[in-house]
Amino acid sequence: MIMKRKYIPFVFMACSLLLASCQTIVDNVDLPEIEIKPVVHFRYDGAINTYDCSLTKSNPIFGERRSDFDVIDDAIVSITGLGRTDTVMFIEGIDKYNDESNLDFIDGELYELHITLPDGAQIYAQSEYPVRPQNIDVVVDSFKRDFETVYRIRTSWDDIPGIQEYYMLEFYQVYNFDGKKDTISSYVAQVSSGDDAGTRFSQQHEAYAFTEPGSSISVDLFVVLSGITKKEYDYLRFLERYEPENPFTEPTTIPSNVQGALGMFTLKNGRIYKF
């Protein structure tokens, strides 16, 4: 009993110190204001000769975040090259600036993106049109497995001596359900080269298409091979490693090649092969 009486004051003292050291959660601190910036993703795809541009506002780091993108629909968007200019109009149904191109796109030539926002602010970017893949060969083997067709696809093309090249290889399936189409991308790869001569690229992958006997489902299969710029190559590689939901990921800056905004201006020199 004597030992217990000796330790009772110590226990009360320790508890008092712990309570005194607790800190109150502060909920009335003014958060820093982060400037909301325009975000542009502009792509020209030579395989379909189409401009595709989304123009939105950035989401704030602090405060209430938006679940939907805040679209900027009244800007002037144009692309210039070889002394000619295309103006790309906003399409209400898809919330993008979208149109076919009237420009001549030539390997190695420089093209410029100009955007004037409603408040007069200017967005600018430029990029060379990348090299076209040369001597492309697509070989497809297939076999049936239950209601599924397995495709083994090998795509080959030439290296170009003396330059560093960057390519993007994609595989798409377009399902047709009684007139309603659904596009699925099942394979994407980025390829870079050295500047050596006499070599040939070769990429092989498997793809799968579901077809049920007696149904009205049909499927079209496409391989798309595109020359891309180093900026786009680095951006795509970044997205492959990006883990925004991982709490242990170190803070990083997303690549951008646009002045006056965030985002990317990309040109793809692509070819489509249907089988």
Side-chain angles (χ1 to χ4, degrees), residues 209-224:
F210 175 82
T211 53
E212 184 176 354
S215 72
S216 59
I217 299 174
S218 63
V219 58
D220 292 324
L221 309 174
F222 300 89
V223 170
V224 184

Side-chain angles (χ1 to χ4, degrees), residues 148-196:
E148 188 177 57
T149 302
V150 180
Y151 296 92
R152 290 175 178 163
I153 306 162
R154 178 179 292 276
T155 306
S156 304
W157 67 100
D158 283 349
D159 184 15
I160 300 175
I163 64 172
Q164 180 83 35
E165 306 142 70
Y166 300 90
Y167 298 97
M168 184 175 182
L169 179 63
E170 304 161 273
F171 177 78
Y172 292 97
Q173 300 150 284
V174 180
Y175 283 90
N176 191 327
F177 301 92
D178 293 325
K180 296 181 179 180
K181 293 187 176 182
D182 187 17
T183 301
I184 300 173
S185 174
S186 60
Y187 180 82
V188 177
Q190 295 83 44
V191 181
S192 66
S193 76
D195 57 1
D196 56 331

Side-chain angles (χ1 to χ4, degrees), residues 68-80:
D68 297 324
F69 292 106
D70 193 351
V71 177
I72 303 173
D73 59 4
D74 49 357
I76 301 174
V77 178
S78 63
I79 180 170
T80 299

Side-chain angles (χ1 to χ4, degrees), residues 60 83 91 112 117 130 141 149 158 160 172-173 224 228 248 271:
I91 307 299
E112 298 179 346
L117 298 177
D141 293 321
T149 302
D158 283 349
I160 300 175
Y172 292 97
Q173 300 150 284
V224 184
I228 60 176
F248 301 104
R271 294 294 177 269

Side-chain angles (χ1 to χ4, degrees), residues 40-256:
V40 56
H41 287 92
F42 187 104
R43 180 181 74 170
Y44 169 74
D45 193 339
I48 54 176
N49 192 39
T50 300
Y51 302 123
D52 184 272
C53 173
S54 65
L55 185 58
T56 60
K57 296 178 182 179
S58 61
N59 228 339
I61 298 176
F62 303 107
E64 184 178 353
R65 293 179 59 83
R66 302 185 304 272
S67 58
D68 297 324
F69 292 106
D70 193 351
V71 177
I72 303 173
D73 59 4
D74 49 357
I76 301 174
V77 178
S78 63
I79 180 170
T80 299
L82 301 177
R84 298 178 59 189
T85 298
D86 265 351
T87 299
V88 188
M89 304 304 296
F90 183 80
I91 307 299
E92 292 284 350
I94 59 175
D95 286 342
K96 289 184 177 183
Y97 297 81
N98 184 270
D99 204 352
E100 290 187 355
S101 170
N102 295 307
L103 299 184
D104 294 324
F105 282 86
I106 299 175
D107 296 11
E109 291 292 336
L110 189 66
Y111 296 83
E112 298 179 346
L113 172 68
H114 298 267
I115 299 176
T116 302
L117 298 177
D119 62 0
Q122 300 291 314
I123 298 173
Y124 172 79
Q126 63 178 12
S127 176
E128 288 187 357
Y129 194 52
V131 297
R132 175 187 302 179
Q134 297 186 2
N135 297 324
I136 304 170
D137 185 31
V138 180
V139 178
V140 181
D141 293 321
S142 64
F143 61 90
K144 294 283 187 179
R145 186 169 61 193
D146 297 328
F147 297 133
E148 188 177 57
T149 302
V150 180
Y151 296 92
R152 290 175 178 163
I153 306 162
R154 178 179 292 276
T155 306
S156 304
W157 67 100
D158 283 349
D159 184 15
I160 300 175
I163 64 172
Q164 180 83 35
E165 306 142 70
Y166 300 90
Y167 298 97
M168 184 175 182
L169 179 63
E170 304 161 273
F171 177 78
Y172 292 97
Q173 300 150 284
V174 180
Y175 283 90
N176 191 327
F177 301 92
D178 293 325
K180 296 181 179 180
K181 293 187 176 182
D182 187 17
T183 301
I184 300 173
S185 174
S186 60
Y187 180 82
V188 177
Q190 295 83 44
V191 181
S192 66
S193 76
D195 57 1
D196 56 331
T199 60
R200 187 166 171 81
F201 298 104
S202 185
Q203 291 283 309
Q204 181 170 322
H205 67 280
E206 284 192 354
Y208 310 90
F210 175 82
T211 53
E212 184 176 354
S215 72
S216 59
I217 299 174
S218 63
V219 58
D220 292 324
L221 309 174
F222 300 89
V223 170
V224 184
L225 179 63
S226 305
I228 60 176
T229 62
K230 184 180 186 304
K231 289 285 187 180
E232 183 171 5
Y233 175 84
D234 292 340
Y235 176 69
L236 293 171
R237 299 291 289 179
F238 169 85
L239 292 181
E240 286 185 346
R241 302 187 298 269
Y242 186 46
E243 299 180 272
E245 304 302 325
N246 184 353
F248 301 104
T249 301
E250 294 184 1
T252 185
T253 301
I254 299 176
S256 175

